């Protein structure tokens, strides 16, 4: 391990329009507001991070503004000028601050990129990844109608082998079954985002005949008993997304048998350090995991790709190419599919750099900490 002294941290707040709105029963996202992190060490190396909170608290409590404030007022002052032997030490230095996991994750991600670069290793190798290319999937929102068949077919032609469909009050079991049956070589996930809290257990169990690979988060974050009941009643495995906010939540999922698959979002659990701890627990209990998306830009996606190389990441995650949501991603090279997979980079760190020209187009505000002299 190398010692890294943090010289300063730069933040860029961006607003990037989506090509098409991302619509679920929870919210319609038309523009992605986000924070990009540049963590600069004394030798001049830069680690990149991205904060995945949304503009308003429709998905998690944190927001871009709450993270912007927490980073500047409490988190960054704790690390500037300090020397760390490894990323988990930097993460530990932030733990006296309660919650604010997405804000912490933005720094934790940047520190993992920084340490990987300092040791001249690709991040996926630095964290012990076991595969150099990743099976990927796309998320298609909107109703299950004739247009959805064409969109799935278009995704198939692009090379995606997994499609995640959002389930809401209007999703018809038979329509969804027809879609799934029409693409026998494709995996389909159904994401409830808590909708069955309203629709009820019986409505959920009806989806068992669809042939989905899994159903993601049918009930709300803390509906542990309902998720346990669903796991007991259904053949289709239950995957928990919103419910998994920490290592302790995975312990709870196992203890209660409230789900059989983990949807991991590193932002929601506080970053890569906590993700690796969760990954160890998942290994012990032989729980499959996959990486959930946050409509993120290329920095977070590159970190996610590295995480997807870990042993327990046994199902294709939410990995669409840069050109699915964005006219131009803020990273170079852009993230692309090659024969239906994404290749992990041989470059040190996350393998992508900021495209400063694109960043400038979408940047609404920048901030930097005081320099360490
Ligand atoms: O529930 O998985 C979710 C996006 C924003 C908020 C919540 C979710 C999602 C997605 C992933 O479905 C979309 C993507 O990044 O492709
Ligand atoms: Mg989800």
């Amino acid at each position: 391990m190398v010692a890294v002294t943090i010289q300063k941290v730069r933040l860029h707040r961006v607003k990037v329009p989506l090509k098409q709105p991302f619509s679920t029963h929870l919210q319609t996202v038309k523009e992605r507001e986000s924070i990009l992190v540049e963590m600069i060490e004394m030798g001049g190396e830069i680690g990149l991070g991205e904060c995945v909170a949304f503009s308003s608290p429709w998905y998690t409590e944190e927001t871009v503004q709450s993270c912007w404030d927490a980073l500047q007022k409490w988190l960054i002052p704790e690390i500037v000028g300090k020397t760390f032997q490894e990323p988990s030490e930097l993460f530990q230095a932030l733990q006296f601050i309660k919650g604010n996991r997405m804000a912490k994750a933005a720094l934790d991600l940047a520190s993992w990129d920084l340490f990987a670069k300092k040791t001249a290793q690709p991040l996926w190798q630095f964290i012990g990844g076991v595969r150099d290319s990743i099976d990927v999937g796309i998320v298609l929102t909107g109703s299950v109608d004739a247009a959805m068949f064409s969109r799935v077919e278009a995704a198939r032609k692009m090379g995606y082998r997994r499609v995640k469909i959002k389930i809401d009050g209007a999703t018809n079991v038979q329509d969804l079954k027809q879609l799934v049956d029409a693409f026998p070589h494709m995996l389909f996930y159904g994401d409830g985002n808590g909708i069955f809290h309203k629709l009820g257990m019986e409505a959920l169990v009806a989806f068992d005949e669809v042939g989905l690979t899994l159903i993601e988060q049918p009930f709300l974050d803390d509906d542990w008993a309902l998720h346990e009941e669903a796991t007991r009643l259904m053949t289709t495995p239950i995957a928990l997304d919103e419910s998994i906010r920490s290592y302790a939540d995975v312990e709870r999922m196992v203890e209660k048998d409230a789900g059989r698959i983990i949807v991991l979002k590193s932002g929601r659990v506080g970053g890569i350090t906590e993700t690796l701890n969760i990954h160890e627990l998942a290994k012990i209990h032989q729980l499959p995991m996959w990486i959930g998306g946050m409509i993120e830009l290329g920095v977070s996606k590159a970190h996610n790709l590295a995480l997807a190389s870990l042993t327990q990441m046994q199902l294709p995650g939410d990995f669409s190419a840069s050109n699915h949501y964005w006219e131009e991603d803020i990273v170079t090279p852009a993230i692309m599919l090659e024969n239906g997979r994404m290749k992990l980079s041989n470059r040190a760190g996350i393998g992508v750099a900021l495209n400063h020209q694109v960043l400038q187009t979408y940047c609404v505000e920048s901030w930097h900490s005081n320099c360490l002299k």
Side-chain angles (χ1 to χ4, degrees):
M1 278 288 174
V2 291
V4 164
T5 304
I6 310 300
Q7 196 220 359
K8 74 176 195 177
V9 179
R10 274 198 291 263
L11 303 178
H12 307 283
R13 188 164 175 160
V14 297
K15 285 185 180 173
V16 189
L18 272 69
K19 280 178 161 179
Q20 303 109 22
F22 181 92
S23 257
T24 67
H25 74 94
L26 296 174
Q27 182 79 203
T28 295
V29 181
K30 292 183 182 155
E31 180 184 68
R32 185 54 160 121
E33 187 183 8
S34 195
I35 303 168
L36 295 156
V37 176
E38 293 184 276
M39 184 180 282
I40 302 142
E41 55 90 38
M42 288 303 271
E45 192 66 81
I46 301 178
L48 299 178
E50 180 177 334
C51 179
V52 298
F54 289 101
S55 301
S56 70
W58 63 271
Y59 186 62
T60 57
E61 294 93 332
E62 288 176 87
T63 64
V64 173
Q65 188 63 48
S66 77
C67 292
W68 185 251
D69 292 340
L71 282 162
Q72 295 177 16
K73 284 189 194 163
W74 301 300
L75 299 172
I76 292 172
E78 283 309 311
I79 60 167
V80 173
K82 302 228 172 95
T83 302
F84 301 98
Q85 311 296 325
E86 49 183 301
S88 61
E89 233 178 58
L90 186 143
F91 183 69
Q92 272 311 318
L94 307 175
Q95 291 318 304
F96 79 100
I97 302 285
K98 303 268 186 194
N100 290 281
R101 288 187 301 264
M102 288 183 169
K104 289 173 181 169
L107 295 180
D108 181 78
L109 262 61
S111 81
W112 279 92
D113 181 35
L114 188 52
F115 273 88
K117 283 171 174 159
K118 288 297 278 184
T119 55
Q121 286 180 76
L123 179 61
W124 67 273
Q125 286 175 2
F126 186 62
I127 62 174
V130 294
R131 52 183 84 87
D132 64 3
S133 83
I134 305 301
D135 268 328
V136 296
I138 197 165
V139 183
L140 298 177
T141 68
S143 38
V144 181
D145 51 14
M148 184 58 90
F149 279 73
S150 321
R151 291 167 66 206
V152 173
E153 176 58 13
R156 191 190 65 78
K157 282 196 178 132
M158 282 184 258
Y160 294 101
R161 291 285 172 272
R162 184 226 82 175
V163 173
K164 175 166 129 183
I165 303 282
K166 294 287 188 175
I167 297 176
D168 62 21
T171 313
N172 177 281
V173 171
Q174 291 313 319
D175 291 347
L176 191 56
K177 184 166 167 41
Q178 273 182 23
L179 181 73
V180 170
D181 290 347
F183 297 92
H185 300 299
M186 207 87 160
L187 297 181
F188 283 88
Y189 301 176
D191 189 358
N193 287 118
I195 191 70
F196 292 96
H197 187 84
K198 278 192 200 137
L199 305 179
M201 188 64 73
E202 221 175 298
L204 173 63
V205 173
F207 280 86
D208 226 1
E209 65 172 280
V210 172
L212 296 166
T213 303
L214 56 88
I215 293 187
E216 182 181 338
Q217 198 71 33
F219 299 104
L220 300 182
D221 308 20
D222 284 313
D223 283 343
W224 296 98
L226 289 169
H227 285 130
E228 180 276 321
E229 198 181 335
T231 296
R232 199 158 25 85
L233 293 177
M234 296 182 73
T235 309
T236 313
I238 302 296
L240 293 186
D241 180 16
E242 285 91 319
S243 296
I244 306 299
R245 296 152 296 198
S246 63
Y247 185 91
D249 283 331
V250 177
E251 286 182 313
R252 182 150 31 172
M253 170 176 141
V254 172
E255 184 197 320
K256 297 191 183 300
D257 197 17
R260 296 281 166 84
I261 298 169
I262 300 168
V263 185
L264 200 288
K265 293 190 176 166
S266 73
R268 194 177 45 225
V269 302
I272 291 179
T273 305
E274 183 79 345
T275 298
L276 295 177
N277 292 335
I278 289 175
H279 183 259
E280 285 308 305
L281 186 58
K283 220 190 270 179
I284 293 167
H285 295 287
Q286 299 187 335
L287 287 170
M289 304 172 76
W290 54 276
I291 299 287
M294 287 290 281
I295 323 177
E296 57 254 290
L297 297 161
V299 170
S300 170
K301 195 148 283 184
H303 282 89
N304 280 346
L305 279 169
L307 290 173
S309 75
L310 296 168
T311 35
Q312 290 312 112
M313 300 292 172
Q314 291 159 1
L315 289 157
D318 298 335
F319 283 109
S320 46
S322 290
N323 68 0
H324 177 59
Y325 291 122
W326 321 117
E327 290 296 346
E328 290 177 298
D329 205 334
I330 47 94
V331 295
T332 175
I335 290 165
M336 306 214 293
L337 259 66
E338 287 177 45
N339 302 320
R341 300 175 70 79
M342 283 181 187
K343 275 226 180 78
L344 288 164
S345 172
N346 293 323
R347 280 182 292 271
I350 56 173
V352 296
L354 288 176
N355 180 333
H356 286 278
Q357 204 182 332
V358 177
L359 182 62
Q360 274 211 334
T361 309
Y362 299 117
C363 189
V364 290
E365 197 176 349
S366 288
W367 175 92
H368 65 82
S369 63
N370 287 330
C371 285
L372 174 71
K373 295 286 188 294

